Amino acid sequence: MANTSGTSGKSDTSDASENKPKNDQSSPSKTQSNKTQSNKTESLPGPMDVLRGARAQLAELTGMEAESVSSFERMEDDGWMLRIEVLELARVPDTMSLLASYEVTLDAYGALTGYRRVRRYERGRADRS
C-alpha cells in the first residue's frame, strides 16, 4: 500500500527537539537584558523626529502640506508645541497666495494631540509691528 500521509516515507516518531532552535529557553539574566534593551528602543523621539512627524500628521489631517515650521518648543509636561505654516490657497502671482499658521500640540512621543489655525495671511504681506 502506498504512503499517502505526505511525509515522503519518514517516520513520525522523529525527535521533535531536532527541529527546535538550541537557545529556545532564555535565562533570567538574558530576559532582564532584553527588557533593558527594549526600554532603550522605546525611548522618547528626538526633536527632529517630532518635527517631521508633526508635519506629516498635520498634512494627513488637513490635506495641506506644511511649508515651514516657524516655532518649536518643548512643554512642561514633556509634550511639544509647534507653529506650522501651510499653503491654504495657491494664487498667481505667488505673493498673493494664502498661507495659514497652525498651532500643533503633541505628546511626549510625538503623537498629535491637537491643532488649530491661529492666523491666515497673504504670502506677500508682513505683520504690522
Side-chain angles (χ1 to χ4, degrees), residues 6 20 22 45 76 84 91 99:
K20 289 185 180 178
K22 294 183 183 191
E76 287 182 16
I84 300 176
R91 290 187 176 159
L99 297 172

PDB file of all heavy atoms in Angstrom, residues 6 20 22 45 76 84 91 99:
ATOM      1  N   GLY A   6       1.952  12.094   3.031  1.00  0.00           N
ATOM      2  CA  GLY A   6       2.702  13.269   2.597  1.00  0.00           C
ATOM      3  C   GLY A   6       3.994  13.456   3.370  1.00  0.00           C
ATOM      4  O   GLY A   6       4.601  14.500   3.327  1.00  0.00           O
ATOM      5  N   LYS A  20      13.894  22.237  16.755  1.00  0.00           N
ATOM      6  CA  LYS A  20      13.821  23.438  17.583  1.00  0.00           C
ATOM      7  C   LYS A  20      15.180  24.110  17.670  1.00  0.00           C
ATOM      8  O   LYS A  20      16.205  23.450  17.653  1.00  0.00           O
ATOM      9  CB  LYS A  20      13.359  23.080  19.004  1.00  0.00           C
ATOM     10  CG  LYS A  20      11.916  22.693  19.088  1.00  0.00           C
ATOM     11  CD  LYS A  20      11.528  22.485  20.526  1.00  0.00           C
ATOM     12  CE  LYS A  20      10.069  22.090  20.633  1.00  0.00           C
ATOM     13  NZ  LYS A  20       9.695  21.842  22.013  1.00  0.00           N
ATOM     14  N   LYS A  22      18.393  25.654  19.437  1.00  0.00           N
ATOM     15  CA  LYS A  22      19.055  25.206  20.654  1.00  0.00           C
ATOM     16  C   LYS A  22      18.923  26.213  21.785  1.00  0.00           C
ATOM     17  O   LYS A  22      18.968  25.842  22.933  1.00  0.00           O
ATOM     18  CB  LYS A  22      20.519  24.916  20.363  1.00  0.00           C
ATOM     19  CG  LYS A  22      20.658  23.735  19.430  1.00  0.00           C
ATOM     20  CD  LYS A  22      22.067  23.369  19.177  1.00  0.00           C
ATOM     21  CE  LYS A  22      22.036  22.228  18.178  1.00  0.00           C
ATOM     22  NZ  LYS A  22      23.212  21.558  17.955  1.00  0.00           N
ATOM     23  N   PRO A  45      11.255  60.228  21.226  1.00  0.00           N
ATOM     24  CA  PRO A  45      11.880  60.675  19.981  1.00  0.00           C
ATOM     25  C   PRO A  45      12.609  61.996  20.165  1.00  0.00           C
ATOM     26  O   PRO A  45      12.281  62.786  21.051  1.00  0.00           O
ATOM     27  CB  PRO A  45      10.685  60.836  19.026  1.00  0.00           C
ATOM     28  CG  PRO A  45       9.521  61.082  19.929  1.00  0.00           C
ATOM     29  CD  PRO A  45       9.808  60.312  21.189  1.00  0.00           C
ATOM     30  N   GLU A  76       6.157  71.909  29.446  1.00  0.00           N
ATOM     31  CA  GLU A  76       6.485  71.432  30.792  1.00  0.00           C
ATOM     32  C   GLU A  76       6.128  69.959  30.996  1.00  0.00           C
ATOM     33  O   GLU A  76       6.797  69.252  31.730  1.00  0.00           O
ATOM     34  CB  GLU A  76       5.767  72.277  31.839  1.00  0.00           C
ATOM     35  CG  GLU A  76       6.347  73.662  31.986  1.00  0.00           C
ATOM     36  CD  GLU A  76       5.641  74.455  33.069  1.00  0.00           C
ATOM     37  OE1 GLU A  76       4.935  73.859  33.896  1.00  0.00           O
ATOM     38  OE2 GLU A  76       5.799  75.683  33.074  1.00  0.00           O
ATOM     39  N   ILE A  84       3.167  75.743  12.573  1.00  0.00           N
ATOM     40  CA  ILE A  84       3.489  75.268  11.231  1.00  0.00           C
ATOM     41  C   ILE A  84       2.764  76.133  10.205  1.00  0.00           C
ATOM     42  O   ILE A  84       1.555  76.362  10.320  1.00  0.00           O
ATOM     43  CB  ILE A  84       3.097  73.787  11.068  1.00  0.00           C
ATOM     44  CG1 ILE A  84       3.857  72.923  12.086  1.00  0.00           C
ATOM     45  CG2 ILE A  84       3.356  73.304   9.648  1.00  0.00           C
ATOM     46  CD1 ILE A  84       3.480  71.461  12.084  1.00  0.00           C
ATOM     47  N   ARG A  91      -2.271  81.097  -5.402  1.00  0.00           N
ATOM     48  CA  ARG A  91      -2.739  82.123  -6.342  1.00  0.00           C
ATOM     49  C   ARG A  91      -1.592  82.569  -7.218  1.00  0.00           C
ATOM     50  O   ARG A  91      -0.421  82.345  -6.910  1.00  0.00           O
ATOM     51  CB  ARG A  91      -3.286  83.335  -5.579  1.00  0.00           C
ATOM     52  CG  ARG A  91      -4.583  83.067  -4.862  1.00  0.00           C
ATOM     53  CD  ARG A  91      -5.114  84.349  -4.296  1.00  0.00           C
ATOM     54  NE  ARG A  91      -6.418  84.154  -3.666  1.00  0.00           N
ATOM     55  CZ  ARG A  91      -6.917  84.971  -2.765  1.00  0.00           C
ATOM     56  NH1 ARG A  91      -6.239  86.038  -2.383  1.00  0.00           N
ATOM     57  NH2 ARG A  91      -8.100  84.748  -2.245  1.00  0.00           N
ATOM     58  N   LEU A  99      -1.636  81.780   3.044  1.00  0.00           N
ATOM     59  CA  LEU A  99      -0.971  80.873   3.972  1.00  0.00           C
ATOM     60  C   LEU A  99      -1.728  80.891   5.286  1.00  0.00           C
ATOM     61  O   LEU A  99      -2.464  81.839   5.587  1.00  0.00           O
ATOM     62  CB  LEU A  99       0.476  81.303   4.214  1.00  0.00           C
ATOM     63  CG  LEU A  99       1.397  81.289   3.002  1.00  0.00           C
ATOM     64  CD1 LEU A  99       2.729  81.921   3.344  1.00  0.00           C
ATOM     65  CD2 LEU A  99       1.595  79.877   2.511  1.00  0.00           C
TER      66      LEU A  99
END
